Amino acid sequence: MHKLFSGAVALATAATAMVALSGTAEAKPAADWAGCPSGAVCVYPQNQNPAQSPSAVYWSYGGHDLSNQVGRHWVLNNQTGGATAELCLNYGGTNCNYTIGAQNGVYADLTPINSIKLNRP
């Protein structure tokens, strides 16, 4: 009985170690996503579906004015740490009406959108 119990303890210890190791492996930084670098927000060419190669990449927090972005586009938020991005009706990152969470994207009509705002977490 003692050998059976110590064998079960060894198995439980090994399973716990595997869970601990797999938890560490998941903590690595985000990777590029459809050509959008980790930490950036990317806009893709009109009607490029699926998203493959961005036409615009934004890195800094705050508003970024768009130019000649009409029709449907993928906008991917590949920022880390919970940072959000917003689609805004006015220039300068104002009058925002849609929020994109970190590691999320939207296939949106950018015709009425005049800027994208990147927000700190």
Side-chain angles (χ1 to χ4, degrees):
M1 181 75 163
H2 178 69
K3 285 185 178 185
L4 180 63
F5 181 72
S6 47
V9 169
L11 181 60
T13 303
T16 303
M18 288 301 282
V19 169
L21 289 174
S22 66
T24 304
E26 292 174 10
K28 63 185 174 185
D32 288 1
W33 174 27
C36 186
S38 176
V41 172
C42 300
V43 177
Y44 292 78
Q46 182 179 9
N47 298 321
Q48 187 183 87
N49 193 10
Q52 298 171 352
S53 179
S55 56
V57 179
Y58 302 101
W59 293 94
S60 60
Y61 295 121
H64 299 275
D65 293 342
L66 300 179
S67 178
N68 299 318
Q69 300 289 344
V70 296
R72 298 187 69 75
H73 298 256
W74 274 106
V75 180
L76 302 184
N77 178 7
N78 202 20
Q79 295 182 97
T80 59
T84 61
E86 295 179 273
L87 302 180
C88 307
L89 298 174
N90 296 345
Y91 290 106
T94 60
N95 195 17
C96 304
N97 65 353
Y98 190 84
T99 302
I100 306 167
Q103 281 86 51
N104 283 286
V106 64
Y107 191 56
D109 181 1
L110 295 186
T111 303
I113 304 301
N114 286 300
S115 63
I116 295 178
K117 183 178 176 186
L118 279 62
N119 302 306
R120 284 183 165 81

